[in-house]
């Protein structure tokens, strides 16, 4: 079971980074956090993968007052998504015609949904940005939806002001990723290991996925 979980974690994070590169190459707009990452990358001259890694660890610092603790998957997430985003950008060409851009966007959304289900289903802890969202909700009493909306509106606005790409892809991602992950998650969810005296109970508890929620 541990081998499966580790493989699922690493494959999911690799696919997530590649899907980010596909969104960028599609050129039709990014999700809120990646609008921010792209804006920062454009202003600093750093690669977007490096920015993703730096922002991940800065966000983890915000976990401290929220009394959140990272898991193994959280730390892997903070590094590997950015690494594979840069690898994807080095390998995937940009498209100059609309048909190719639409196809790339559709592929990016699908791959991102599969990657999210793999990563969440491995049960190794939330990504830095998801932990910030849930930690803020727990400490303030706000709903997860309100916390997520507040955070993503802020990073989207700042990213747009910095020159990040906002477009139809931003809307498509917001509408499609939640239902897609809900559909795929049962296929990738690793059953929780329960003590022997609970063997008769269902080990796989339902997991609620906030529509459009990030997984890194």
């Amino acid at each position: 079971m541990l081998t499966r979980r580790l493989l699922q974690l690493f494959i999911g994070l690799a696919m997530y980074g590649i899907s980010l590169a596909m969104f960028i190459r599609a050129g039709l707009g990014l999700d809120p956090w990646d609008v921010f990452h792209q804006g920062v990358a454009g202003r600093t001259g750093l690669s977007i993968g490096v920015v993703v890694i730096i922002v991940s660890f800065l966000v983890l610092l915000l976990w401290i007052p929220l009394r959140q603790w990272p898991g193994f998957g959280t730390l892997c997430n903070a590094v590997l998504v950015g690494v594979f985003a840069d690898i994807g950008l080095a390998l995937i060409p940009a498209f100059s015609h609309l048909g190719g851009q639409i196809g790339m966007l559709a592929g990016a959304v699908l791959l991102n949904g599969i990657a999210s289900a793999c990563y969440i289903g491995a049960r190794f802890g939330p990504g830095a940005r998801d932990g910030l969202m849930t930690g803020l909700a727990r400490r303030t009493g706000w709903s997860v939806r309100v916390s997520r909306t507040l955070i993503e509106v802020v990073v989207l606005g700042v990213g747009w002001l910095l020159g990040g790409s906002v477009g139809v892809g931003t809307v498509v991602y917001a509408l499609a990723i939640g239902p897609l992950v809900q559909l795929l998650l049962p296929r990738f969810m690793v059953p929780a290991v329960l003590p022997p005296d609970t063997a008769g109970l269902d080990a796989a508890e339902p997991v609620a996925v906030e529509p459009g929620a990030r997984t890194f």
Side-chain angles (χ1 to χ4, degrees):
M1 185 66 71
L2 179 60
T3 300
R4 174 195 163 175
R5 291 174 66 204
L6 288 170
L7 284 173
Q8 192 168 306
L9 172 70
F10 294 135
I11 291 171
L13 294 177
M15 290 192 299
Y16 207 108
I18 297 297
S19 73
L20 169 54
M22 292 171 68
F23 275 110
I24 293 172
R25 292 306 189 209
L28 295 175
L30 307 174
D31 67 90
W33 273 105
D34 290 328
V35 171
F36 176 72
H37 297 146
Q38 188 183 50
V40 173
R43 295 286 180 152
T44 61
L46 298 172
S47 73
I48 195 164
V50 171
V51 171
V52 168
I53 293 170
I54 292 172
V55 171
S56 294
F57 282 100
L58 291 176
V59 170
L60 284 176
L61 293 178
L62 298 177
W63 283 31
I64 297 173
L66 299 176
R67 298 181 182 177
Q68 291 272 109
W69 296 100
F72 174 71
T74 309
L75 300 177
C76 291
N77 191 320
V79 175
L80 293 181
V81 170
V83 169
F84 280 97
D86 278 349
I87 291 173
L89 287 171
L91 298 175
I92 301 170
F95 286 83
S96 58
H97 53 89
L98 185 59
Q101 290 176 292
I102 292 173
M104 184 66 74
L105 175 62
V109 172
L110 178 60
L111 186 62
N112 191 276
I114 296 171
S116 299
C118 281
Y119 168 69
I120 296 169
R123 297 180 182 269
F124 275 113
R129 295 152 187 79
D130 276 344
L132 177 62
M133 173 184 67
T134 56
L136 183 63
R138 191 184 67 253
R139 294 288 290 176
T140 62
W142 300 340
S143 70
V144 172
R145 186 180 298 273
V146 168
S147 299
R148 169 183 166 262
T149 300
L150 176 63
I151 292 169
E152 295 201 348
V153 165
V154 171
V155 296
L156 177 64
V158 174
W160 178 72
L161 290 173
L162 291 173
S165 175
V166 178
V168 65
T170 309
V171 178
V172 170
Y173 182 89
L175 294 177
I177 195 63
L180 186 59
V181 174
Q182 284 280 33
L183 175 66
L184 294 171
L185 190 57
R187 293 170 169 79
F188 293 96
M189 181 61 68
V190 176
V193 178
L194 298 180
D197 59 350
T198 62
L201 300 177
D202 183 8
E205 298 179 358
V207 175
V209 177
E210 189 74 10
R214 299 294 308 193
T215 60
F216 73 99

